[in-house]
Amino acid sequence: MKLFGTDGVRGKAGEFLDSITTMKLAMAAGIYFRKHSTTNKILVGKDTRKSGYMIENALVSGLTAVGYDVIQIGPMPTPAIAYLTESMRCDAGIMISASHNPYDDNGIKFFDNHGNKLNSKCEKEIEKIFADKDYIASQQKIGKEIGSSKRIDDVIGRYIVSIKSSFPKDLTLQGQRIVLDCANGAAYKVGPTILEELGAEVITINNKPNGYNINDDCGALHPKNVGKMVLETRADLGIALDGDADRLVIIDETGTVVSGDKLLGALCTYLQDEKHLVGDACVATVMSNQALEDYLKSKKLQLIRTDVGDKNVLEGMKKHNVNFGGEQSGHIIFSDVAKTGDGLASALQVLALIVRTGKKASEILNPFELYPQVLENIIVSEKKPLEEIDGLKKLQDEIKKLGMRDLIRYSGTEKKLRVLLEGKDKKQVEEYMKKLVEFFKNKL
């Protein structure tokens, strides 16, 4: 059974991700982590979805059944789970969240004892154990070997101290008025606290979760709401987080949403200026605009591309010994600060850049112009291998000769073909996108 997707296990709570499947998955994961156990402890956190109660209890039941002691810390951002897993010397960490998805979805993300997301090889091992009912049954404990669980409520302070320490000690946020949208999610407590303790005047919105309003017309998926509030309050910056606070969207003082690629470019050169950039490079995905690559090249920096997913970005950073990377969607990784994308840590680096330069966000976060980019989703009856589609390579070669870039891939969950086309001439890009759409409709 295929359980893991791009970022952990995710699906409709109570359907694909029901209590029985969750408990069995917890047993399989516990058996896997047991192979490398040193402390017999696993940390469990969650976002603010109501279904988190069901999934959390099922996880605890499964983990204790195979002998693990479980530490439950309640609603906390995903990056906090990564940090605390290592800090508290746990064998593993588990985050219950479907990130930016609607409230009726939920998910489970796993971290190893160093706070790193599991790679695909580890995920396949857990899936293999999950499929072996007899093996799972043989590993269940009895008597004194059954695990225990306890809830700890004071770990929030550890994470706050960790994130605040990433902000330069010679700077302050005094005089900065910031609009913070918590998406009614996991950062509804820690987000405002961190910014206020650093001296900012914080106008917090969507920080009253009720189990159903996470990501609902708020947060990183709906940054225009923050833009309006920035203008109304004459704020210096807007910050929109998603449900588990591992990504962010920045809104400048004019109420304009800052492109994720522009944000990556500005932060990368800031790290370079501060002599904190390792490897003279930034890792991003194949979705990032070519203009980012050209801009970094003009600064004698390299853009290293990976497949979509912050997990792939992090693996690329490790492979190339780079300490900065991210996705245009807002997952930004400063590996010197956090083991995964951290919306709050990234926001502090953006604010450090603004305070350090004394420039407005609209100026400092707009270092280059993006090339025109068009994305189309085409419904297909079958997912025929792209290399077997007659005439596609010829059309792609023609596109490349004209100086454009194409990215063609199937959706992992739907019968759709995702086609991205990018180039410097908008009319040319639109013309060739029409050709591509017509081509695929005839072939698929």
Side-chain angles (χ1 to χ4, degrees):
M1 182 179 179
K2 177 69 175 171
L3 293 170
F4 289 89
T6 305
D7 192 13
V9 179
R10 191 177 299 184
K12 279 277 184 288
E15 293 181 9
F16 171 74
L17 200 58
D18 60 17
S19 59
I20 296 171
T21 302
T22 300
M23 184 169 64
K24 188 178 171 185
L25 175 60
M27 290 180 183
I31 292 166
Y32 169 77
F33 289 121
R34 171 77 61 205
K35 297 176 183 177
H36 312 286
S37 176
T38 58
T39 65
N40 200 52
K41 297 187 298 183
I42 289 183
L43 186 76
V44 176
K46 60 183 179 179
D47 66 21
T48 56
R49 296 163 211 267
K50 188 176 182 183
S51 60
Y53 291 104
M54 173 192 73
I55 293 171
E56 181 181 27
N57 286 324
L59 281 173
V60 171
S61 180
L63 291 169
T64 54
V66 295
Y68 258 110
D69 295 332
V70 183
I71 300 171
Q72 298 163 260
I73 63 171
M76 287 285 281
T78 289
I81 306 305
Y83 166 73
L84 292 166
T85 296
E86 182 177 42
S87 174
M88 298 176 71
R89 305 297 190 270
C90 295
D91 286 344
I94 301 176
M95 176 64 180
I96 303 165
S97 177
S99 195
H100 58 272
N101 286 31
Y103 83 90
D104 51 349
D105 284 345
N106 217 324
I108 302 173
K109 304 178 184 184
F110 294 94
F111 298 87
D112 66 19
N113 62 326
H114 296 297
N116 297 312
K117 287 184 178 179
L118 301 188
N119 59 36
S120 56
K121 182 181 177 182
C122 299
E123 292 173 345
K124 286 178 182 177
E125 286 193 46
I126 292 175
E127 286 178 343
K128 186 177 179 181
I129 297 169
F130 180 91
D132 193 335
K133 295 180 181 178
D134 293 336
Y135 183 50
I136 288 178
S138 72
Q139 296 301 304
Q140 292 186 47
K141 306 301 181 183
I142 59 173
K144 293 181 179 179
E145 292 185 332
I146 295 173
S148 64
S149 70
K150 63 179 178 180
R151 188 173 295 277
I152 300 178
D153 297 319
D154 64 353
V155 294
I156 186 172
R158 302 188 194 192
Y159 177 64
I160 288 172
V161 169
S162 168
I163 296 302
K164 281 173 58 183
S165 67
S166 69
F167 191 73
K169 290 181 172 56
D170 62 322
L171 299 181
T172 177
L173 294 181
Q174 290 283 346
Q176 293 289 320
R177 180 179 294 167
I178 300 167
V179 175
L180 174 65
D181 187 340
C182 297
N184 292 312
Y188 77 102
K189 288 184 180 178
V190 299
T193 302
I194 289 170
L195 294 173
E196 286 169 359
E197 289 188 3
L198 288 170
E201 177 189 348
V202 186
I203 300 163
T204 307
I205 60 175
N206 299 309
N207 64 329
K208 293 179 173 59
N210 61 15
Y212 308 107
N213 59 2
I214 186 170
N215 300 316
D216 185 15
D217 194 29
C218 59
L221 291 182
H222 304 277
K224 289 183 180 179
N225 298 332
V226 181
K228 291 177 183 176
M229 184 65 73
V230 166
L231 291 175
E232 288 175 11
T233 60
R234 298 182 181 179
D236 299 291
L237 194 73
I239 299 168
L241 303 171
D242 68 341
D244 67 337
D246 65 350
R247 60 180 277 202
L248 86 163
V249 171
I250 294 293
I251 298 89
D252 67 25
E253 81 285 355
T254 71
T256 303
V257 175
V258 177
S259 153
D261 282 329
K262 289 186 178 184
L263 196 59
L264 286 171
L267 289 170
C268 188
T269 51
Y270 167 64
L271 290 177
Q272 179 190 35
D273 292 342
E274 294 291 305
K275 302 191 184 328
H276 291 156
L277 185 67
V278 176
D280 291 331
C282 167
V283 177
T285 74
V286 290
M287 297 296 290
S288 275
N289 198 285
Q290 182 65 34
L292 171 61
E293 187 170 345
D294 292 347
Y295 170 72
L296 293 178
K297 189 176 181 181
S298 73
K299 301 292 182 179
K300 298 183 180 178
L301 299 172
Q302 182 184 5
L303 180 69
I304 300 167
R305 294 183 185 268
T306 70
D307 288 336
V308 175
D310 64 325
K311 181 171 64 177
N312 294 319
V313 172
L314 187 56
E315 287 179 4
M317 289 166 64
K318 291 178 181 176
K319 180 180 177 181
H320 297 280
N321 191 30
V322 173
N323 68 340
F324 177 70
E327 295 186 281
Q328 61 178 186
S329 61
H331 288 110
I332 300 176
I333 304 171
F334 295 86
S335 62
D336 294 341
V337 177
K339 297 295 182 72
T340 184
D342 190 321
L344 290 168
S346 300
L348 290 190
Q349 294 304 311
V350 173
L351 286 162
L353 167 60
I354 291 169
V355 174
R356 181 78 76 191
T357 60
K359 295 180 179 179
K360 292 183 180 295
S362 59
E363 181 182 356
I364 198 67
L365 301 180
N366 190 32
F368 58 87
E369 291 302 317
L370 297 171
Y371 299 151
Q373 195 179 75
V374 181
L375 177 64
E376 292 280 352
N377 292 312
I378 304 169
I379 297 173
V380 297
S381 57
E382 63 169 327
K383 294 183 179 181
K384 186 176 181 181
L386 296 176
E387 62 274 12
E388 294 179 11
I389 299 176
D390 186 46
L392 177 57
K393 188 178 183 305
K394 182 181 178 182
L395 184 53
Q396 287 179 301
D397 288 342
E398 185 179 337
I399 288 169
K400 189 175 181 180
K401 284 180 182 177
L402 291 169
M404 292 184 285
R405 185 176 75 95
D406 69 88
L407 178 62
I408 303 169
R409 61 191 180 95
Y410 288 109
S411 164
T413 56
E414 302 173 280
K415 283 192 173 182
K416 287 183 179 179
L417 182 70
R418 305 195 191 284
V419 183
L420 181 145
L421 191 60
E422 178 185 281
K424 296 181 180 180
D425 186 325
K426 185 178 179 180
K427 286 185 179 179
Q428 192 176 62
V429 170
E430 291 173 345
E431 176 190 342
Y432 270 82
M433 177 56 82
K434 288 179 182 177
K435 285 186 180 181
L436 281 168
V437 170
E438 191 65 29
F439 173 82
F440 284 118
K441 284 184 176 179
N442 291 331
K443 295 289 183 177
L444 299 175

